[in-house]
């Protein structure tokens, strides 16, 4: 599937595009799934219509989508397959070619790769759609939607199955040209080149009363740093994003530079998967791809998010020393993905949100006396009576808001960071291994001419900001 990025043309530069999408999540602390959570999320999405965009054709949207927990009861009833217990299989929607011969070839190739990755294909399910609600432009580039169900040959589940599904999905996209909106034992994504109101109409699955969840994350897209396309609608596999990553080109270059040395015993041979970040994808897509890699390589999702988008810790005088050591250590492993960004994320059990260190994107949350938790890029996405609200607030720069639906509680920012900081002796690692420039031995100083210095600075990518502040 094409990712929709336009080429440079005349004075047009695609890298100068920016976005202002809408994002929200709905979760419950009551401990069990319900249809009401999906309905509330779809209502919130419809109320984010002004955050999305349409082209000249008003019924072709820039993108809308929803990410939920795998609706096991619904899939058991509708797939026609003998599915294992919840969590024992991975499922995801493939965007397949419209040509019947090409589609059959793609299916055979995917099943071959699945076998190579230690997965057994249980079967495929045709995803019902109603394309009468969408515009001609969206319909003309629309793929065929089929859900793939796989289990591990040796019966493993949990993150071990998740990692095999990840390998299958990356190889399918990078080597076979087949995009999966998701492929997971924990979450399922429905999305497309749709308006917020069209999502539930286009995918009748989302209207089924058996489709339930404890959490749902939705996104309304205003596509700017890439043009609209079916794959670039959000949510992605772990997150939805409002804003832009200003450092994304440098971040992608760093990932490409380190790709040859990446190693993970948990994920296996990473080199066989192809590029970690997809060429021509949006900044949000690249952010999601790298967060997913860090998470599946062994870090918790909150840990991965803090590693990618750290708070402004360097000059924070009141910061706990152990948390400072955590950030200092993480900074030697991963450069920050910086920019005005509000990010909602979930692994299917925990769901949360955070702002970048500058805090230039909005985010507000509400908690009701019934255990309903709502977070959105603005107020008013759901009609919640004021007397039912027991807590409300806004996202703050560099701070994380996290809901654990398994434990039925909100995990505070201080608890998240202090528990991560206590997990390993980060201060000892920093003190033992970090080498300061001032500690290097003296050497003969060589004076260069101003033109020589300027040429070297340009060669190595120095900017005015580097010279002025760093």
């Amino acid at each position: 599937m094409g990712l929709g990025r336009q080429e440079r043309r005349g004075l047009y530069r695609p890298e100068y595009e920016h976005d202002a999408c809408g994002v929200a999540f709905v979760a419950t602390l009551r401990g069990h799934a319900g249809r009401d959570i999906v309905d509330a999320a779809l209502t919130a999405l419809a109320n984010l219509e002004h955050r999305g965009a349409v082209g000249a054709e008003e019924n072709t949207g820039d993108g809308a989508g929803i990410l939920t927990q795998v609706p096991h009861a619904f899939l058991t009833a509708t797939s026609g397959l003998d599915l294992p217990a919840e969590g024992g299989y991975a499922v995801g929607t493939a965007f397949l070619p419209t040509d019947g011969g090409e589609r059959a070839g793609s299916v055979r190739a995917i099943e071959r790769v699945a076998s190579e990755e230690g997965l057994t294909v249980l079967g495929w399910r045709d995803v019902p759609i109603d394309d009468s609600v969408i515009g001609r432009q969206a319909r003309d580039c629309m793929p065929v939607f089929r859900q793939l169900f796989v289990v591990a040959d040796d019966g493993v589940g949990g993150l071990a199955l998740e990692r095999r599904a990840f390998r299958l999905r990356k190889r399918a996209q990078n080597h076979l040209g087949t995009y999966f909106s998701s492929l997971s034992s924990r979450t399922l994504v429905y999305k497309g080149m749709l308006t917020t109101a069209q999502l539930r109409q286009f995918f009748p699955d989302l209207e089924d009363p058996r489709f339930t969840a404890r959490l749902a994350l939705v996104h309304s897209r205003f596509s700017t740093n890439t043009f609209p396309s079916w794959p670039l609608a959000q949510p992605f596999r772990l997150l939805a994003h409002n804003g832009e990553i200003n450092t994304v080109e440098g971040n992608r270059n760093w990932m490409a530079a380190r790709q040859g040395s990446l190693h993970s015993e948990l994920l296996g041979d990473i080199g066989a998967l192809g590029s970690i970040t997809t060429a021509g994808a949006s900044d949000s897509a690249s952010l999601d791809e790298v967060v997913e890699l860090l998470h599946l390589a062994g870090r918790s999702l909150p840990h991965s998010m803090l590693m990618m988008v750290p708070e402004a810790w360097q000059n924070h005088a009141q910061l706990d020393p152990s948390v400072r050591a955590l950030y200092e250590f993480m900074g030697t492993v991963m450069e920050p993905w910086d920019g005005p960004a509000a990010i909602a994320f979930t692994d299917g059990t925990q769901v949360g949100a955070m702002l970048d260190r500058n805090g230039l994107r909005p985010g507000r949350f509400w908690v009701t006396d019934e255990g309903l938790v709502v977070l959105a890029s603005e107020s008013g996405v759901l009609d919640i009576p004021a007397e039912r609200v027991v807590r409300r607030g806004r996202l703050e720069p560099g701070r994380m808001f996290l809901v654990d639906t398994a434990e039925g509680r909100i995990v505070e920012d201080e608890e998240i960071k202090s528990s991560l900081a206590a997990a390993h002796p980060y201060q000892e690692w920093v003190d033992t291994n970090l080498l300061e420039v001032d500690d290097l031995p003296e050497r003969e100083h060589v004076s260069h001419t101003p033109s020589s210095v300027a040429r070297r600075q340009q060669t190595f990518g120095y900017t005015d900001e580097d010279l002025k502040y760093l």
Side-chain angles (χ1 to χ4, degrees):
M1 291 296 300
L3 293 178
R5 190 174 182 94
Q6 298 295 303
E7 300 297 326
R8 289 190 177 199
R9 189 174 302 164
L11 296 178
Y12 174 73
R13 295 292 183 269
E15 61 267 27
Y16 295 154
E17 299 283 7
H18 301 286
D19 55 16
C21 306
V23 63
F25 74 69
V26 180
T28 179
L29 304 178
R30 69 191 174 207
H32 62 85
R35 175 66 211 177
D36 57 329
I37 300 302
V38 179
D39 283 332
L42 291 170
T43 300
L45 177 63
N47 289 330
L48 289 170
E49 179 184 9
H50 63 287
R51 283 284 193 163
V54 296
E57 190 176 58
E58 65 179 14
N59 55 352
T60 292
D62 277 17
I66 184 170
L67 182 158
T68 72
Q69 294 167 313
V70 170
H72 177 64
F74 167 76
L75 293 174
T76 299
T78 59
S79 66
L81 302 171
D82 184 15
L83 298 179
E86 187 172 2
Y89 62 95
V91 57
T93 303
F95 289 12
L96 294 170
T98 55
D99 178 82
E102 291 182 25
R103 185 164 62 250
S106 295
V107 167
R108 287 193 299 270
I110 291 167
E111 292 179 345
R112 184 190 72 248
V113 173
S115 178
E116 293 170 359
E117 293 295 344
L119 295 167
T120 297
V121 174
L122 294 178
W124 296 80
R125 172 181 178 257
D126 292 324
V127 179
I129 62 168
D130 178 4
D131 63 1
S132 67
V133 301
I134 64 175
R136 178 185 55 80
Q137 292 177 344
R139 192 181 300 112
D140 286 349
C141 61
M142 181 182 71
V144 171
F145 306 96
R146 295 187 70 190
Q147 284 172 342
L148 171 66
F149 294 80
V150 295
V151 295
D153 293 346
D154 54 5
V156 299
L159 279 173
L161 174 57
E162 202 73 11
R163 291 176 180 117
R164 293 191 198 179
F166 166 77
R167 291 185 60 84
L168 168 57
R169 201 194 76 232
K170 293 296 285 188
R171 290 181 63 185
Q173 179 172 328
N174 289 334
H175 303 317
L176 305 178
T178 299
Y179 182 87
F180 278 85
S181 57
S182 63
L183 185 60
S184 171
S185 62
R186 304 180 295 181
T187 57
L188 185 61
V189 172
Y190 286 79
K191 69 175 189 178
M193 200 168 152
L194 308 164
T195 67
T196 58
Q198 288 172 345
L199 182 69
R200 68 193 305 164
Q201 300 171 308
F202 183 81
F203 291 113
D205 284 359
L206 297 175
E207 298 278 23
D208 195 295
R210 295 166 294 186
F211 197 114
T212 63
R214 283 182 295 180
L215 61 87
L217 191 161
V218 294
H219 186 272
S220 172
R221 186 169 191 237
F222 193 109
S223 64
T224 45
N225 65 24
T226 51
F227 276 64
S229 74
W230 287 87
L232 285 182
Q234 296 187 49
F236 297 110
R237 288 76 185 218
L238 291 175
L239 59 81
H241 168 235
N242 167 34
E244 55 269 347
I245 303 299
N246 290 336
T247 59
V248 68
E249 288 304 322
N251 298 135
R252 288 168 175 156
N253 289 339
W254 275 114
M255 286 306 301
R258 61 169 63 99
Q259 176 119 12
S261 60
L262 290 178
H263 171 74
S264 171
E265 293 182 2
L266 295 172
L267 284 175
D269 180 12
I270 296 176
L273 305 181
S275 178
I276 296 301
T277 58
T278 302
S282 63
D283 54 351
S284 306
S286 296
L287 178 72
D288 179 80
E289 288 171 323
V290 178
V291 166
E292 183 181 40
L293 178 73
L294 295 176
H295 173 51
L296 294 181
R299 298 169 180 85
S300 69
L301 186 52
H303 187 180
S304 303
M305 292 303 306
L306 289 176
M307 192 169 172
M308 296 276 289
V309 189
E311 64 181 299
W313 60 272
Q314 290 92 337
N315 299 318
H316 189 340
Q318 285 77 43
L319 189 64
D320 185 308
S322 65
V323 177
R324 178 182 298 276
L326 167 68
Y327 280 124
E328 191 169 7
F329 177 82
M330 291 193 301
T332 67
V333 180
M334 170 67 66
E335 66 287 341
W337 290 56
D338 220 355
I343 307 168
F345 55 87
T346 182
D347 61 4
T349 300
Q350 293 184 328
V351 59
M354 64 187 299
L355 299 182
D356 69 290
R357 51 186 161 185
N358 295 309
L360 298 178
R361 283 292 184 269
R364 295 187 175 275
F365 64 86
W366 301 262
V367 184
T368 73
D369 53 6
E370 296 177 324
L372 180 71
V373 184
V374 182
L375 181 141
S377 49
E378 54 244 88
S379 303
V381 294
L382 289 179
D383 185 13
I384 303 175
E387 63 271 14
R388 307 305 300 267
V389 177
V390 297
R391 178 179 175 183
R392 72 180 73 209
R394 64 178 180 85
L395 295 180
E396 299 177 38
R399 297 178 67 81
M400 184 176 290
F401 178 76
L402 186 67
V403 180
D404 192 314
T405 62
E407 297 182 2
R409 69 186 185 101
I410 295 172
V411 187
E412 302 299 337
D413 179 82
E414 293 79 5
E415 180 184 348
I416 298 166
K417 293 170 182 175
S418 61
S419 63
L420 289 173
H424 298 288
Y426 290 109
Q427 189 66 64
E428 178 184 335
W429 290 352
V430 168
D431 293 340
T432 303
N433 299 294
L434 194 63
L435 184 63
E436 299 286 347
V437 173
D438 292 341
D439 296 334
L440 294 174
E442 291 292 330
R443 55 167 290 179
E444 179 184 359
H445 180 69
V446 179
S447 296
H448 295 278
T449 63
S451 61
S452 175
V453 172
R455 184 173 65 253
R456 293 164 190 266
Q457 289 171 337
Q458 291 171 347
T459 299
F460 288 96
Y462 279 68
T463 65
D464 288 339
E465 182 177 306
D466 294 329
L467 299 177
K468 187 178 294 184
Y469 298 112
L470 302 182

